[in-house]
Amino acid sequence: MLAKAMSLFLLGLVRLLTGAQARWYGCPPKAEQRIYFANHQSHADLVMIWAALPQELRSITRPIAAKDYWTASKLKRWITTEVFNAVYVDRAHTAEQDPLEPLVQALESGDSIIIFPEGTRGFAEEPQPFKAGLYNLALRFPGVVLVPAWIANVQRVMPKGEVVPVPILCSVTFGKPVELQPGEDRHDFLARARQAVIALRDV
């Protein structure tokens, strides 16, 4: 009950501050297994894209969260575990550990996931080059639909150094699914996937 109440509270708060508008271009909001991949400019990206999804998709979609940041306090850990049902990724993994393993487990269990292929936040207008994780997941799970997304303005809600959020109209634009082509190499696929995200910026 507490997790549900917190979910409704956060959803209302995020929508109050940002509008959390979802715009669907090229694909409808459909309850199928998907990997949503988006640009990354703020810790609020996770919350923003979660809030933009309709309830029937939020219930089956798990955002990826950096373990070191989102477990730094008991409250953050509780929210990401109990409310978002997040998948934690350890950015300080050892060479023996596969950083994709938690994502693989989530996909194998039938969940959809939200990932940020840059791997870390960027501050330029365009996303940084995508890391190999999206390609490796696409290769391993060919039946999962890959949906690009552009998150607009969320970095302005909580400018660097500020404590109080600033209400700004934000949106998440979801685009046409991207498919890994037979024989397509990693570099070409990641460049194409990144461009699919950038193309949504001005839609």
Side-chain angles (χ1 to χ4, degrees):
M1 288 295 292
L2 182 57
K4 184 176 181 180
M6 178 60 78
S7 176
L8 292 173
F9 170 76
L10 286 174
L11 186 60
L13 180 62
V14 171
R15 288 182 173 173
L16 176 66
L17 290 172
T18 71
Q21 294 181 334
R23 306 191 302 166
W24 297 87
Y25 288 86
C27 72
K30 184 178 179 182
E32 62 186 358
Q33 191 176 26
R34 292 175 168 179
I35 296 175
Y36 299 94
F37 59 98
N39 57 312
H40 190 26
Q41 292 190 317
S42 166
H43 287 306
D45 290 338
L46 178 157
V47 183
M48 176 67 190
I49 198 168
W50 170 84
L53 292 172
Q55 194 281 329
E56 63 270 21
L57 297 189
R58 283 200 307 275
S59 64
I60 60 173
T61 305
R62 304 179 66 186
I64 305 308
K67 186 176 181 179
D68 57 303
Y69 178 81
W70 286 103
T71 62
S73 71
K74 290 183 178 180
L75 179 59
K76 285 181 181 178
R77 179 188 289 272
W78 184 84
I79 289 174
T80 46
T81 300
E82 300 297 329
V83 178
F84 300 143
N85 191 25
V87 179
Y88 292 122
V89 173
D90 189 353
R91 294 188 291 189
H93 63 275
T94 65
E96 292 76 24
Q97 294 174 312
D98 180 2
L100 292 181
E101 186 56 32
L103 286 68
V104 168
Q105 291 177 2
L107 290 167
E108 286 180 339
S109 69
D111 296 323
S112 293
I113 60 174
I114 301 166
I115 68 172
F116 304 102
E118 295 169 79
T120 187
R121 290 182 298 160
F123 299 98
E125 290 187 7
E126 294 189 352
Q128 301 171 83
F130 284 2
K131 294 187 176 181
L134 179 63
Y135 171 81
N136 292 331
L137 292 174
L139 198 62
R140 184 160 179 171
F141 297 94
V144 177
V145 180
L146 309 175
V147 178
W150 178 266
I151 304 173
N153 285 337
V154 72
Q155 73 276 14
R156 294 171 59 194
V157 174
M158 183 69 81
K160 188 174 182 179
E162 296 294 330
V163 176
V164 180
V166 179
I168 294 288
L169 187 62
C170 302
S171 64
V172 181
T173 303
F174 298 92
K176 182 180 179 181
V178 172
E179 294 183 3
L180 176 62
Q181 300 300 316
E184 186 174 21
D185 74 16
R186 181 180 66 184
H187 180 269
D188 290 345
F189 170 77
L190 293 176
R192 189 162 59 86
R194 177 177 176 271
Q195 191 56 47
V197 171
I198 295 171
L200 298 171
R201 178 178 53 187
D202 301 318
V203 171

